[in-house]
């Protein structure tokens, strides 16, 4: 099974301020752990290509996308909100980040890779149809999922999200469209706050208490995600892979450990092997404790490989 990691060094040039947690060092932390673990000899590494604007319109309102292009600063900063800031390199990084997810679809559909992990930034799962927020500009996973439907005629596309924050942007984009299943676990009450719990497809929203630990997370996946996924029989699985529910991550109170990311990846790989010819496209979302982020991403990639 060949697993690819898609990235681009220019994603490091998007910078939202010295004390912002969504920092370039996150990507370096993942790369360091890939080398440290020896995985860099096992995986194939690819440079992302910037996505063509036309593909962004599959998931986003045209006026919103055009406004991001026209507001991209040539110098200084442009604020979408207090936490979501463009510098002169942000547009390029965001196009590479969405481009990586699209490239991953092509590589997996052509069977050049069995699955792929996009180690890019900015992340995407908070970006709604017509609004960027929460460190996100383009919804990378939703754009790539829509691309898989459009370009490869995928009829049943699952997107699962284990970031500690709810994937509000992804839900907003897919909720009224046919052929999607979206499953999200998240700490609640927590950013972005206005979330309806749902056990009914196409939206499976499973809140976790702030006190949740490994056993609670695993039980939630077993009780809610896996039955829905097995019933849906996805032809491809997309993962919004955020690692900020880790016990070492100060962003949240939920207390997961490295092995939980391996475990959930194993469960998803089983579903993909059963229904989707093994096809998984995973996209980095959150994860702000640099050491835990690197280790958890390696655990996740090991799960994709199936060691
Ligand atoms: Zn998050």
């Amino acid at each position: 099974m060949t697993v690819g990691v898609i990235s681009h060094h220019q994603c490091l040039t998007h910078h939202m301020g010295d004390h912002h947690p969504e920092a370039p060092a996150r990507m370096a932390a993942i790369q360091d752990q890939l080398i440290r673990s020896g995985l860099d000899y096992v995986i194939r590494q690819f440079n992302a290509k910037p996505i063509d604007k036309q593909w962004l319109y599959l998931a986003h309102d045209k006026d919103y996308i055009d406004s991001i292009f026209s507001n991209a600063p040539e110098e200084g900063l442009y604020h979408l909100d207090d936490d979501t800031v463009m510098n002169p390199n942000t547009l390029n990084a965001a196009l590479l980040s969405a481009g990586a997810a699209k490239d991953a679809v092509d590589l997996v559909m052509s069977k050049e890779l069995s699955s792929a992990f996009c180690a890019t930034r900015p992340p995407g799962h908070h970006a709604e149809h017509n609004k960027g927020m929460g460190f996100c500009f383009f919804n990378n996973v939703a754009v790539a999922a829509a691309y898989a439907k459009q370009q490869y005629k995928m009829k049943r596309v699952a997107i699962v999200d284990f970031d500690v924050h709810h994937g509000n942007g992804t839900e907003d984009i897919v909720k009224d469209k046919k052929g999607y299943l979206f499953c999200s676990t998240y700490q609640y009450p927590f950013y972005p706050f206005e979330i309806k719990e749902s056990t009914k497809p196409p939206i499976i929203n499973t809140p976790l208490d702030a006190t949740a630990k490994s056993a609670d997370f695993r039980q939630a996946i077993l009780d809610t995600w896996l039955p829905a996924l097995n019933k849906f029989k996805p032809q491809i699985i997309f993962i919004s892979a955020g690692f900020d529910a880790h016990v070492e991550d100060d962003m949240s109170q939920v207390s997961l450990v490295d092995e939980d990311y391996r475990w959930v990846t194993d469960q998803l790989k089983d579903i993909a092997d059963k229904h989707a010819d093994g096809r998984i496209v995973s996209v980095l979302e959150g994860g702000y404790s640099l050491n835990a982020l690197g280790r958890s991403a390696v655990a996740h990639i090991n799960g994709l490989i199936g060691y």
Side-chain angles (χ1 to χ4, degrees):
M1 301 295 272
T2 310
V3 172
V5 172
I6 308 172
S7 191
H8 199 291
H9 66 92
Q10 287 174 3
C11 289
L12 293 158
T13 62
H14 159 56
H15 207 296
M16 297 191 283
D18 286 344
H19 302 291
H20 201 296
E22 206 291 275
R26 300 176 62 234
M27 275 177 57
I30 293 174
Q31 197 62 35
D32 286 351
Q33 286 291 342
L34 280 177
I35 294 166
R36 192 154 180 244
S37 65
L39 266 188
D40 61 323
Y41 282 104
V42 180
I43 52 163
R44 288 183 60 197
Q45 301 210 49
F46 296 82
N47 266 329
K49 298 187 290 293
I51 199 166
D52 283 342
K53 200 180 188 184
Q54 55 157 328
W55 301 117
L56 298 173
Y57 298 148
L58 290 177
H60 290 286
D61 181 63
K62 184 172 182 302
D63 288 346
Y64 168 66
I65 294 299
D66 293 347
S67 79
I68 293 288
F69 275 74
S70 60
N71 286 317
E74 284 179 23
E75 56 185 56
L77 301 173
Y78 173 76
H79 285 252
L80 266 74
D81 63 29
D82 287 348
D83 302 322
T84 313
V85 183
M86 300 183 80
N87 78 352
N89 303 312
T90 300
L91 178 59
N92 180 49
L95 293 171
L96 288 166
S97 211
K102 174 192 165 285
D103 292 348
V105 172
D106 289 330
L107 289 161
V108 165
M109 292 307 302
S110 68
K111 298 193 185 300
E112 193 168 338
L113 296 178
S114 54
S115 55
F117 176 66
C118 302
T120 52
R121 56 183 291 280
H125 74 151
H126 292 307
E128 298 185 346
H129 177 66
N130 62 0
K131 185 172 75 169
M133 59 185 274
F135 317 165
C136 302
F137 303 89
F138 306 141
N139 194 314
N140 309 313
V141 85
V143 168
Y147 174 76
K149 293 190 85 188
Q150 166 99 2
Q151 195 73 356
Y152 295 100
K153 310 296 175 217
M154 294 280 104
K155 289 192 166 51
R156 295 183 309 283
V157 172
I159 307 174
V160 302
D161 185 328
F162 55 67
D163 190 280
V164 81
H165 303 94
H166 180 249
N168 62 293
T170 310
E171 176 174 332
D172 176 64
I173 289 165
V174 308
K175 66 178 191 284
D176 297 323
K177 299 195 176 121
K178 282 206 171 89
Y180 285 106
L181 176 70
F182 176 61
C183 305
S184 184
T185 51
Y186 49 88
Q187 181 176 325
Y188 193 78
F190 204 36
Y191 183 89
F193 296 106
E194 288 172 27
I195 307 156
K196 287 197 188 79
E197 188 174 343
S198 170
T199 54
K200 204 166 150 265
I203 306 298
I204 306 292
N205 278 340
T206 312
L208 301 169
D209 289 336
T211 54
K213 296 185 170 54
S214 300
D216 307 296
F217 171 72
R218 294 184 186 203
Q219 200 61 50
I221 300 294
L222 291 170
D223 290 346
T224 63
W225 285 20
L226 300 189
L229 285 163
N230 273 313
K231 197 168 177 203
F232 183 68
K233 298 183 174 59
Q235 294 168 296
I236 182 167
I237 298 178
F238 289 85
I239 303 177
S240 268
F243 301 100
D244 42 5
H246 198 286
V247 65
E248 292 170 30
D249 199 309
D250 293 338
M251 185 68 85
S252 76
Q253 283 77 48
V254 173
S255 301
L256 303 190
V257 295
D258 303 9
E259 291 74 24
D260 293 317
Y261 295 108
R262 172 63 199 258
W263 179 86
V264 69
T265 309
D266 287 345
Q267 309 308 309
L268 296 169
K269 185 168 160 32
D270 280 349
I271 304 262
D273 287 343
K274 213 187 311 177
H275 302 296
D277 208 8
R279 291 185 281 258
I280 296 178
V281 168
S282 177
V283 179
L284 177 66
E285 303 286 0
Y288 306 97
S289 160
L290 296 179
N291 202 285
L293 168 64
R295 295 188 331 258
S296 302
V298 162
H300 175 54
I301 294 165
N302 268 322
L304 295 177
I305 295 168
Y307 278 171

